[in-house]
Amino acid sequence: MAASLVLFASLQLAALAGAGATVVHYPPSASNINNLTFVLNGTGAPGIFNSSVTPEKDYGEYNWCNMPHVRVQEYKTPSKEYTLEYVEIIQRHHKRTPYASNTFFKEDITWNCDGEGPVVYGKGPSGTSSDVSVIQWSAYTDSQNPWTNTVGPGFVGTNCQLPQITSGGLEDSHEHGADIRAVYAERLGLGETYDETTNQIRVTNNVITSQVAGALVKGLFPLTTNLSVLLQSDTYDSLEPVYSCPTANSLFTSYTTDSANWTDHLTAAAPLYAKLDAVSGTSNPDSGGWHTSFDHYYDNLSAKLCHGKPLPCSVNDTSLCVTMDEANEVFRLGNWEYSYYYRDAPASTQYSALHYGVFFLELKAHLEAAMDGGKIKYFHNIAHDGSVSPVLGFLQIATMVWPGMGSEVVFELYKNAEKSYFMRVLWGGQPMDTSTPMGTLDMVPVQTFFDYIDSMVGSGAELLSACGV
Ligand SMILES: *[C@@H]1O[C@H](CO)[C@@H](O)[C@H](O)[C@H]1NC(C)=O
Ligand SMILES: *[C@@H]1O[C@H](CO)[C@@H](O)[C@H](O)[C@H]1NC(C)=O
Ligand SMILES: *[C@@H]1O[C@H](CO)[C@@H](O)[C@H](O)[C@H]1NC(C)=O
Ligand SMILES: *[C@@H]1O[C@H](CO)[C@@H](O)[C@H](O)[C@H]1NC(C)=O
Ligand SMILES: *[C@@H]1O[C@H](CO)[C@@H](O)[C@H](O)[C@H]1NC(C)=O
Ligand SMILES: *[C@@H]1O[C@H](CO)[C@@H](O)[C@H](O)[C@H]1NC(C)=O
Ligand SMILES: *[C@@H]1O[C@H](CO)[C@@H](O)[C@H](O)[C@H]1NC(C)=O
């Protein structure tokens, strides 16, 4: 049964390849990130995890709380023969409270969002009664509701939404927008007010991306008072992404849950798990996903540190606490996991091609429109780690990491005097190193870039069929 399922999956993949796409996996570089010996037995954190501020001299270093992005200070202007024609950015949202699913266990550290709740209301075309007041959400629990304590979250009593962008995350979003503006406003001729004929902002159905948009736009287009942002349906949005692709899902399962290449690291980390479970009171096994990857512990511990909160202790024994060394091991493991998911597993490139191919079809069309004299100059996508990761996987970045808060990929389209077009792709503000024959994505002829996308995806119809839809 299992064998025939695998055969079915590989026939699907062969069909994709036969239809014009030929995905080739180029393994990533070896580093401490994907070296399991170092991850389990090494020391230190793989970057900054306790503040949004990166010391100036270290800017560009991995900072989980606020990843490096394009800034005037580090920006490399290409030689004068090139003019910048179009820029598209995809970024992860900024720092936030944890997701409710990552807060199953009980401990003493609380989150307060007094006066910081997300603003939610409807607006008419020319001003309605709802324009006169700002409606802010404040979470609460009522002891009369007996379901309150049955759903798990050890978060009873907070007035925060889980998740919501925190005030610190909003400040980071604003600064991110202002930094982008400082680099691109003059180069692209961006106005001080958002203008939907030349600019576009796109979000996902998860409201935290709109929370970021509000603060980001204030930095990016400072005189803007209102704007509409683009949003695809939550049944097939390509940005989050949520479109159905059963082939991608079974492929992912085949190299994670079903593969010793994946499960071995969970087994090897048993002593760490035992300690974390003792502090949190999480059972092993559990049904909440605490032991199928380090995602939940990573999110739980890093969100605390990024907001200046201490590491947790057991509610039953205040001397039993998660140590910084243990947190650092969780952070090394989390980065190892993302490198495995999106780069180290041989099938991971095929996974990114299927799971995120639609975004690249859309990007290619945006670039073609700009080359065709289209008016849109600047397109900004606000998304998730689950979006930025397959972008990095698709482009086969040389050294994969878990994309932290605000992490950013910039696609720049240039034209030279001969009217030839070129791509530069920035990661953390600098040209991205890949393991592909394109090498560093720095003035790659646009046709080479398009050929690469075609080799990964084929046409939209081919992708749909390769996905098994
Ligand atoms: C880590 O070190 C321990 C003992 O120090 C050893 O038993 C184990 O094999 C090492 N793990 C890896 C992945 O090298
Ligand atoms: C992995 O890390 C260990 C421990 O630091 C080191 O001894 C080993 O050389 C590394 N392996 C590679 C391939 O770099
Ligand atoms: C963050 O951690 C580093 C070392 O990991 C430490 O040197 C620094 O003081 C810490 N900063 C804050 C704000 O806690
Ligand atoms: C902002 O609101 C005004 C008046 O309601 C409207 O004319 C304009 O198109 C809006 N701008 C955007 C970018 O949505
Ligand atoms: C497991 O790793 C080996 C060695 O890297 C590789 O050949 C094999 O394809 C991997 N299996 C899966 C399911 O990823
Ligand atoms: C604390 O102790 C109680 C009673 O033994 C137990 O039910 C609970 O799971 C413990 N909580 C943690 C976080 O260990
Ligand atoms: C971790 O989980 C505990 C228990 O649910 C919660 O109180 C705490 O705030 C969480 N912290 C983070 C940062 O997720």
Side-chain angles (χ1 to χ4, degrees):
M1 183 63 181
S4 64
L5 279 176
V6 169
L7 181 61
F8 177 70
S10 52
L11 285 176
Q12 291 276 342
L13 300 180
L16 173 63
T22 38
V23 173
V24 181
H25 173 246
Y26 299 97
S29 307
S31 71
N32 282 345
I33 297 281
N34 57 5
N35 177 342
L36 192 56
T37 306
F38 180 81
V39 164
L40 291 168
N41 280 355
T43 54
I48 298 171
F49 285 79
N50 59 5
S51 163
S52 281
V53 180
T54 304
E56 278 301 304
K57 64 174 176 40
D58 298 328
Y59 199 81
E61 188 186 318
Y62 182 96
N63 182 338
W64 170 260
C65 308
N66 189 14
M67 291 289 278
H69 52 248
V70 45
R71 301 196 312 178
V72 164
Q73 292 93 311
E74 293 84 23
Y75 190 76
K76 295 191 179 79
T77 305
S79 80
K80 283 205 167 57
E81 65 175 303
Y82 298 103
T83 57
L84 185 60
E85 298 289 312
Y86 174 82
V87 169
E88 178 148 349
I89 292 184
I90 178 169
Q91 70 156 106
R92 187 186 185 190
H93 58 76
H94 280 276
K95 70 185 182 185
R96 51 156 172 70
T97 66
Y99 277 80
S101 56
N102 298 351
T103 60
F104 206 77
F105 63 79
K106 299 236 197 301
E107 19 98 345
D108 48 349
I109 293 158
T110 58
W111 291 75
N112 186 340
C113 296
D114 256 349
E116 298 174 9
V119 169
V120 187
Y121 60 104
K123 182 189 174 303
S126 57
T128 65
S129 54
S130 64
D131 279 356
V132 299
S133 44
V134 166
I135 302 301
Q136 209 166 5
W137 281 4
S138 178
Y140 86 111
T141 49
D142 190 316
S143 59
Q144 293 309 301
N145 182 339
W147 272 263
T148 302
N149 288 308
T150 64
V151 289
F155 234 76
V156 171
T158 184
N159 56 0
C160 300
Q161 300 298 319
L162 305 178
Q164 78 172 62
I165 304 297
T166 56
S167 60
L170 293 174
E171 280 162 27
D172 294 343
S173 305
H174 181 265
E175 182 174 297
H176 195 165
D179 285 344
I180 292 171
R181 176 171 186 81
V183 171
Y184 291 118
E186 213 178 290
R187 289 179 168 87
L188 280 178
L190 305 180
E192 293 200 285
T193 306
Y194 176 84
D195 171 0
E196 62 195 7
T197 62
T198 54
N199 321 135
Q200 314 248 252
I201 310 273
R202 178 178 175 190
V203 297
T204 71
N205 287 274
N206 185 327
V207 293
I208 64 175
T209 58
S210 293
Q211 293 165 18
V212 167
L216 177 99
V217 166
K218 224 40 193 167
L220 201 41
F221 301 104
L223 300 185
T224 303
T225 53
N226 63 304
L227 75 155
S228 311
V229 296
L230 298 173
L231 176 64
Q232 285 187 7
S233 157
D234 66 3
T235 59
Y236 54 73
D237 177 31
S238 57
L239 184 58
E240 192 160 344
V242 291
Y243 64 83
S244 162
C245 189
T247 319
N249 297 345
S250 48
L251 188 61
F252 190 76
T253 305
S254 74
Y255 69 79
T256 54
T257 324
D258 290 352
S259 170
N261 291 355
W262 171 258
T263 52
D264 280 354
H265 85 286
L266 300 172
T267 311
L272 177 64
Y273 261 136
K275 172 66 189 295
L276 296 169
D277 293 344
V279 173
S280 66
T282 306
S283 58
N284 185 7
D286 72 295
S287 59
W290 292 83
H291 299 93
T292 52
S293 77
F294 275 89
D295 177 274
H296 289 8
Y297 277 120
Y298 188 111
D299 189 44
N300 192 285
L301 300 174
S302 67
K304 283 187 174 64
L305 293 178
C306 284
H307 290 89
K309 295 176 189 292
L311 291 170
C313 302
S314 164
V315 285
N316 292 338
D317 175 359
T318 50
S319 67
L320 185 66
C321 305
V322 175
T323 66
M324 191 52 80
D325 281 348
E326 287 158 354
N328 288 343
E329 187 175 351
V330 170
F331 302 148
R332 293 196 301 274
L333 281 159
N335 275 277
W336 182 91
E337 290 183 344
Y338 269 69
S339 186
Y340 179 86
Y341 284 152
Y342 292 98
R343 293 294 287 117
D344 293 282
S348 62
T349 306
Q350 177 70 274
Y351 173 71
S352 292
L354 293 166
H355 184 63
Y356 222 63
V358 179
F359 177 85
F360 279 91
L361 291 175
E362 293 170 346
L363 172 70
K364 185 182 169 201
H366 297 166
L367 293 163
E368 284 169 339
M371 289 161 60
D372 240 22
K375 283 188 144 175
I376 302 294
K377 292 279 180 205
Y378 182 82
F379 197 120
H380 194 116
N381 302 281
I382 305 170
H384 307 274
D385 53 349
S387 329
V388 174
S389 296
V391 167
L392 301 177
F394 190 105
L395 297 173
Q396 304 199 56
I397 192 169
T399 304
M400 182 70 193
V401 291
W402 187 343
M405 304 299 163
S407 50
E408 169 204 87
V409 177
V410 181
F411 297 92
E412 297 181 328
L413 177 70
Y414 286 95
K415 186 164 81 173
N416 71 3
E418 286 82 49
K419 299 198 168 14
S420 298
Y421 286 89
F422 300 85
M423 290 301 298
R424 190 167 74 159
V425 181
L426 307 179
W427 163 244
Q430 299 301 320
M432 182 191 293
D433 288 328
T434 74
S435 308
T436 70
M438 294 184 290
T440 301
L441 301 179
D442 193 0
M443 298 304 173
V444 174
V446 77
Q447 193 55 50
T448 305
F449 188 71
F450 286 171
D451 289 347
Y452 179 75
I453 294 176
D454 293 346
S455 78
M456 291 284 285
V457 189
S459 69
E462 285 164 349
L463 180 58
L464 197 61
S465 116
C467 273
V469 177

